[in-house]
Amino acid sequence: MIRLAVFGQPVKQSLSPRIHRLFAEQAGLVVDYRAIECPPGGLGEALETLAERGGRGCNVTLPLKQEAMTLAELRSERVELAGAANTLTRTETGWSAENTDGTGLVADLLRLGLDPAGRRVALIGAGGAAAGVTAALLAAKPATLAIFNRTAERARDLANRHRHLGPVTGHGLDALASERFDLVLNATSQGHAGGLPPVHPDLFETDAHLYDLNYGPAAHPLQAWAQDHDIPYSPGIGMLVGQAAESFRIWTGVEPELEVVIEALVG
Ligand code: NAP
């Protein structure tokens, strides 16, 4: 049996146990994946307990992603660049940290026929989610990646940290008026409060697509806006499944089928 977990606070709403159960069924593996509440500062102890019970790895969600990075003995370049980890894997001597959000996002974009290669891409938001996907977006070779954020300094810092990986720039929201894009990604958290990110129709080239990292009720305001403006829109449920699939691959060596799991979640 493969013992896995997700730690966070709150975590009972997490879809990860269900997603990993579906992956395990696909792969014919016996997996025990549990959602475990863990307060900030408590991850070290939680990881010790998981290791004592033979745990192979875990996901880490809010507010523990930075703590996970700090506790890990080994960190990928993507973890270092994002300043956060969402996947820990047990090694002989400690924990190895990865951030699978970017791989999950790009896998979903490819599934939807939205290959970032050669496209002009706008990323709105520069928080944890945006930081987790920037390196993978640049690895997908967009023509440009422009990051826009309410706190302009945060967007510029994020762009500067990734400059060696490709054509990335950081801006405040005022700069959103001046360019058009082929692919616009919303990585703000405004949907959770029923709000809209600062999008407007002039941002979109003809046939451009709007991808929202939010999913579920947090995605509803932007989805409705896109419908009103005839802009093709996708919510981030496929990214959620994609990032989980990359964690599952790291732990088991098996690459799950995304489509069937996404259908099970939204159907
Ligand atoms: P975060 O670290 O708290 O960052 C929030 C972002 O939203 C920041 O860029 C922030 O700008 C911006 N923002 C918040 N309120 C705003 C407002 N009123 N006006 C303008 N900008 C505002 O959150 P996160 O972890 O990056 O998550 C962002 C979203 O992505 C969340 O809704 C989360 O559910 C979703 N997400 C989805 C997946 C997936 O697998 N699909 C994975 C991770 C996250 P400032 O920097 O100026 O504060």
Side-chain angles (χ1 to χ4, degrees), residues 3-133:
R3 194 179 291 281
L4 301 165
V6 55
F7 296 108
Q9 189 179 59
V11 79
K12 68 173 186 303
Q13 80 297 344
S14 172
L15 292 171
S16 294
R18 188 161 165 221
I19 293 171
H20 284 275
R21 200 164 49 243
L22 292 166
F23 291 164
E25 277 170 26
Q26 259 186 38
L29 294 172
V30 181
V31 167
D32 179 351
Y33 184 111
R34 295 187 191 187
I36 301 173
E37 289 285 325
C38 177
L43 186 60
E45 203 180 319
L47 289 176
E48 271 177 38
T49 306
L50 183 65
E52 279 162 18
R53 293 185 180 160
R56 188 176 292 187
C58 62
N59 287 127
V60 176
T61 185
L62 297 176
L64 305 171
K65 290 184 176 186
Q66 273 180 309
E67 196 174 328
M69 175 183 80
T70 314
L71 289 169
E73 188 182 70
L74 296 168
R75 299 176 197 125
S76 72
E77 190 195 2
R78 285 193 182 174
V79 167
E80 300 277 6
L81 285 168
N86 71 345
T87 304
L88 295 174
T89 307
R90 184 76 190 151
T91 68
E92 299 219 328
T93 51
W95 296 91
S96 166
E98 186 50 274
N99 190 317
T100 64
D101 276 346
T103 302
L105 170 63
V106 172
D108 198 37
L109 292 175
L110 296 177
R111 179 185 73 86
L112 293 165
L114 299 171
D115 188 343
R119 282 188 153 98
R120 297 172 54 78
V121 181
L123 176 61
I124 305 177
V133 302

Side-chain angles (χ1 to χ4, degrees), residues 62 65 101 124-131 148-152 154 173 186-192 196-198 211-215 218 235-241 243:
L62 297 176
K65 290 184 176 186
D101 276 346
I124 305 177
F148 301 92
N149 197 45
R150 175 177 62 178
T151 312
R154 234 177 152 187
L173 296 180
N186 172 41
T188 74
S189 55
Q190 284 161 279
H192 288 282
L196 277 174
Y211 185 99
D212 193 353
L213 274 66
N214 292 278
Y215 53 87
I237 188 73
M239 170 182 165
L240 180 77
V241 175
Q243 60 79 30

Side-chain angles (χ1 to χ4, degrees), residues 201-217:
D202 292 344
L203 257 184
F204 297 83
E205 281 292 358
T206 313
D207 297 331
H209 199 100
L210 173 58
Y211 185 99
D212 193 353
L213 274 66
N214 292 278
Y215 53 87

